[in-house]
Amino acid sequence: MSDRSIALIDVNNFYVSCERVFNPKLEDKPVVVLSNNDGCAVARSNEVKALGIRMGQPWFQLKDLAKKHGIVAYSSNYALYADMSNRVMSILATFSPHYEVYSIDECFLDLTGFRKRSLTLYGQHIRQQIKQQTGLPVCVGIGSTKTLAKLANHIAKKNPEFNGVCDLSAMSLRQQDEWFNKTAVGEVWGIGRRLAPRLHEIGIHTVLDLRIASPSRMHSYFSIVMEKIIREINGTPCIELEEMSPPRKQIVSSRSFGIPVSDLASLEQSISLYIGRAAEKLRRQRSYAGAVYVTIRTSPFNGKEPYYTNSLTIPLATQTENTVLLTKIALWGLRKIYRCGYKYQKAGVMLSELVPANHRQSDLFSRISADNKSDNLMNVIDQINIRMGRSTLKLASEGFRQPWKMKQGNRSPGYTTKWDELIFVTK
């Protein structure tokens, strides 16, 4: 067994918990958070899960059930969730010098060398600090590998006797086997619903079954990934902590419209908006794009209207991160694929062929002074938008009214992200 200690901290039902922090009346009530355009349930409180509502179930199918059981539905409030996530990760960074932000609601901490104190008590301290400073409930799983930490987190979440913290490293092998024998193999990180049926076919139903399987034989049946999973469950680290997230190889920005769009002007506004968002992310990771992809489509589910979809990739002579230039190129591509007479439901863009800023290759006719001027302009725009709020400065081609934007009829206020939506306490 390794002497390494890894903790996974996971915010319980993150989207729902964020809504409950600012509206305590929602505690113990059935709550769902909906996807773009209020289409499907993407987050469900435990009370909603108990009603048999599935993840991704369309909201229009649930309206009668919602009235009967008093289900409260919220539109996704992405800005609020991102801000709350950043607050949680900032707090977690104070508990270990080495950590990996794995997702919006999960973070790995390296606690190797912390064993002079009880890691269970340390985990409880983490929970208390997160709860006190953000109001969010978290569970902590601790193990000698990342896979064991994920398993420990699952056990802590499903079994109240752990009080939100499970340290598998503090258990004997016999105690671990008892818990692993109670845990379905599909709960293992990297297995899930896709591989679980194939494992069932060869007699592997629980985590314990997988633990005692031969890594080399399972490699031949499946892949090297399966071998690493088994070795991790047995305490051999195979998946390292990534303290720096690798740069994205592609950046995608797309949305479904709140209402069908037929005119080119509205499509141009949406493409301009999406390019602006994608270019912000491009500059944030200090990259340049070498190609722009544009796509539009009508609804594939509306049998009463003709279906049309098209896309175009435009390679760039010189990589760039300039929003103005990327927008001009994307709009040129849009005009090439646009066809009049269709009701478009969705549009999107993708920046690809990304290269780090220090590896950018200019063409023979590029001027260093012009490039520096472009970089400085983009930096000023980004800094103003960071300080004053997104879209304080934007291209006029994005439009202002934007009636086509996605529906968010039930969005909660931006409690932590908009000055005019802060909570006021009155006597």
Side-chain angles (χ1 to χ4, degrees):
M1 297 288 288
S2 170
D3 60 355
R4 192 172 72 156
S5 294
I6 301 294
L8 175 68
I9 293 81
D10 169 59
V11 182
N12 301 344
N13 217 332
F14 180 63
Y15 287 4
V16 171
S17 294
C18 286
E19 299 293 349
R20 283 175 167 171
V21 164
F22 298 98
N23 188 354
K25 293 180 180 179
L26 297 176
E27 202 66 43
D28 299 323
K29 289 188 176 180
V31 179
V32 297
V33 176
L34 304 175
S35 62
N36 294 342
N37 291 309
D38 298 340
C40 304
V42 294
R44 304 158 296 156
S45 67
N46 291 333
E47 296 79 8
V48 170
K49 294 175 184 178
L51 295 174
I53 295 174
R54 306 182 309 276
M55 176 67 82
Q57 194 164 347
W59 175 239
F60 74 87
Q61 294 180 357
L62 304 175
K63 290 188 176 179
D64 291 339
L65 198 63
K67 290 180 181 178
K68 181 178 179 180
H69 295 281
I71 298 174
V72 181
Y74 281 92
S75 305
S76 293
N77 191 338
Y78 299 116
L80 174 65
Y81 305 151
D83 182 70
M84 293 298 286
S85 174
N86 291 336
R87 291 168 188 249
V88 171
M89 301 310 166
S90 296
I91 296 168
L92 291 176
T94 66
F95 286 94
S96 173
H98 306 293
Y99 63 94
E100 174 191 342
V101 177
Y102 181 66
S103 66
I104 193 171
D105 60 349
E106 292 179 303
C107 182
F108 287 103
L109 298 182
D110 188 348
L111 302 183
T112 303
F114 284 52
R115 285 256 168 225
K116 292 182 179 179
R117 62 186 300 174
S118 166
L119 293 187
T120 300
L121 292 179
Y122 198 58
Q124 290 295 348
H125 182 53
I126 291 173
R127 293 185 73 229
Q128 291 163 6
Q129 289 299 306
I130 298 294
K131 184 69 174 179
Q132 179 180 339
Q133 297 184 47
T134 69
L136 294 171
V138 302
C139 277
V140 181
I142 303 169
S144 57
T145 68
K146 291 174 77 172
T147 302
L148 286 174
K150 289 277 278 187
L151 273 172
N153 186 280
H154 171 77
I155 293 171
K157 192 179 297 183
K158 297 298 181 181
N159 299 276
E161 59 264 39
F162 285 96
N163 194 25
V165 180
C166 174
D167 182 4
L168 287 174
S169 300
M171 298 182 186
S172 66
L173 287 176
R174 181 175 179 180
Q175 289 174 317
Q176 288 185 15
D177 286 348
E178 289 175 356
W179 283 108
F180 289 170
N181 197 38
K182 298 176 184 177
T183 307
V185 71
E187 301 297 341
V188 176
W189 187 32
I191 301 298
R193 296 179 181 178
R194 184 175 63 86
L195 290 178
R198 292 180 60 191
L199 289 169
H200 294 166
E201 291 174 1
I202 58 176
I204 296 178
H205 299 276
T206 68
V207 178
L208 181 59
D209 294 334
L210 188 61
R211 181 175 189 166
I212 62 178
S214 167
S216 57
R217 183 174 298 175
M218 296 297 285
H219 180 179
S220 64
Y221 289 162
F222 293 88
S223 67
I224 185 63
V225 175
M226 183 64 74
E227 178 181 348
K228 287 183 177 181
I229 290 172
I230 297 171
R231 294 193 185 280
E232 285 250 325
I233 294 174
N234 282 281
T236 302
C238 298
I239 307 172
E240 295 302 320
L241 209 66
E242 294 182 1
E243 295 183 40
M244 294 293 293
S245 299
R248 302 181 190 182
K249 296 181 180 180
Q250 298 173 332
I251 297 177
V252 178
S253 180
S254 67
R255 290 285 187 275
S256 295
F257 301 132
I259 57 175
V261 169
S262 299
D263 60 297
L264 179 60
S266 293
L267 284 173
E268 288 178 335
Q269 289 181 2
S270 68
I271 291 297
S272 297
L273 173 64
Y274 302 153
I275 278 286
R277 296 286 186 268
E280 286 176 8
K281 297 176 182 177
L282 182 72
R283 293 190 291 272
R284 200 176 303 147
Q285 73 172 37
R286 300 183 183 278
S287 295
Y288 283 69
V292 177
Y293 169 87
V294 183
T295 181
I296 53 176
R297 70 167 171 82
T298 61
S299 173
F301 307 107
N302 188 349
K304 298 179 181 179
E305 299 287 343
Y307 179 70
Y308 174 74
T309 181
N310 206 345
S311 60
L312 181 66
T313 298
I314 307 107
L316 309 182
T318 303
Q319 299 101 336
T320 184
E321 41 80 80
N322 187 299
T323 300
V324 177
L325 180 56
L326 290 170
T327 301
K328 287 181 179 178
I329 294 166
L331 292 180
W332 178 87
L334 171 65
R335 294 173 191 129
K336 289 289 184 181
I337 61 176
Y338 171 76
R339 297 293 181 271
C340 186
Y342 292 95
K343 294 183 177 179
Y344 295 95
Q345 184 208 33
K346 187 174 184 178
V349 300
M350 179 175 69
L351 303 180
S352 59
E353 305 293 333
L354 307 188
V355 297
N358 56 351
H359 290 171
R360 181 196 181 207
Q361 183 174 353
S362 299
D363 63 32
L364 182 63
F365 304 101
S366 292
R367 292 183 298 167
I368 295 177
S369 59
D371 290 344
N372 290 339
K373 185 177 181 180
S374 169
D375 292 346
N376 291 337
L377 174 62
M378 292 300 106
N379 183 56
V380 169
I381 291 174
D382 289 342
Q383 291 303 315
I384 291 175
N385 286 336
I386 289 171
R387 177 175 294 184
M388 306 302 295
R390 171 176 275 182
S391 296
T392 300
L393 287 182
K394 63 180 182 180
L395 299 187
S397 58
E398 292 185 22
F400 297 94
R401 292 182 60 248
Q402 299 177 336
W404 45 266
K405 290 190 74 172
M406 69 178 181
K407 296 176 183 176
Q408 287 184 301
N410 299 319
R411 183 183 67 82
S412 56
Y415 298 108
T416 66
T417 58
K418 293 187 177 181
W419 287 107
D420 57 344
E421 295 183 7
L422 293 176
I423 294 178
F424 286 90
V425 179
T426 57
K427 295 182 180 179

